[in-house]
Amino acid sequence: GNEIIVIDGGTKGDAAYLRKFIGDLGNHVNAWFISHTHLDHVDALTEILNNPGDMKIDKIYGSLPDDAWMKKHQHAHADQTQLQLKAALKKSKRKLLELSPGQKIKFKGATFEVLSTVDQKITKNAVNNQSAVWRVDVGDTSILFLGDLGVEGGEALLASPYRNRLKADYVQMS
């Protein structure tokens, strides 16, 4: 439907390539989804928000654990990655649109259905297990995006009311 949707984006080192790729498509992102705040998922977005150039991003979606939880349950590197993303959002005068399980976000030709978001009760493999999970339906094809969801987050998802929405034609594992 001529809409550009980015999921995560990569490291700071990926930002230049991503910026050129998006620029070649018109420099306009309709939606940017964040699975979780490890640097290999969000640092390219942080870099682009800090130095947007001519890029336009309509909406940024995600679900982040609170900063105190991050400080307690994750090493300082991941804690700083989330704080840097939040600072870049603030600098760019952008707000993160909070995802919630059951939410459906429709685009021209694609529907994102959120199946899981932050669950701060899970502290093992802390940030990976906070990965937002969504199913994307495009025509008669379904894609399941798991971020870096760990075993504990996967078990919680399998026990959730959205278990029946997990069947997809393709499963993305990063």
Side-chain angles (χ1 to χ4, degrees):
N2 293 323
E3 292 183 305
I4 304 300
I5 301 168
V6 178
I7 296 174
D8 289 338
T11 66
K12 184 176 181 176
D14 297 320
Y17 172 82
L18 187 58
R19 183 185 305 278
K20 181 181 179 334
F21 187 87
I22 293 168
D24 289 347
L25 295 172
N27 231 13
H28 176 214
V29 175
N30 299 86
W32 199 306
F33 285 82
I34 298 168
S35 65
H36 66 293
T37 56
H38 273 154
L39 64 88
D40 59 326
H41 292 261
V42 299
D43 274 7
L45 173 60
T46 299
E47 177 67 20
I48 289 169
L49 289 172
N50 281 326
N51 303 292
D54 294 330
M55 188 179 300
K56 181 181 178 206
I57 303 170
D58 291 344
K59 296 179 180 178
I60 303 171
Y61 295 94
S63 180
L64 309 181
D66 66 51
D67 295 339
W69 183 92
M70 284 288 287
K71 189 171 182 100
K72 181 176 180 182
H73 298 289
Q74 188 60 36
H75 56 79
H77 184 70
D79 178 36
Q80 290 304 306
T81 299
Q82 179 165 301
L83 292 174
Q84 290 167 359
L85 173 63
K86 285 182 168 185
L89 285 163
K90 184 175 182 177
K91 176 183 175 184
S92 67
K93 298 181 178 145
R94 305 304 310 265
K95 290 191 178 184
L96 184 73
L97 300 170
E98 186 69 29
L99 296 171
S100 59
Q103 179 182 11
K104 289 185 179 181
I105 304 166
K106 296 184 182 217
F107 300 96
K108 295 176 188 169
T111 299
F112 280 58
E113 181 181 6
V114 181
L115 304 180
S116 179
T117 57
V118 166
D119 183 351
Q120 293 183 167
K121 295 183 296 283
I122 302 172
T123 59
K124 185 174 182 185
N125 191 12
V127 177
N128 283 337
N129 272 315
Q130 303 309 306
S131 291
V133 173
W134 50 84
R135 173 185 164 131
V136 180
D137 291 308
V138 180
D140 59 357
T141 300
S142 300
I143 307 165
L144 188 62
F145 289 91
L146 301 169
D148 283 340
L149 195 66
V151 171
E152 299 79 11
E155 289 171 348
L157 181 58
L158 287 170
S160 80
Y162 302 102
R163 175 188 177 102
N164 67 336
R165 300 298 294 150
L166 295 175
K167 184 176 184 301
D169 302 310
Y170 178 74
V171 178
Q172 172 66 41
M173 301 184 81
S174 53

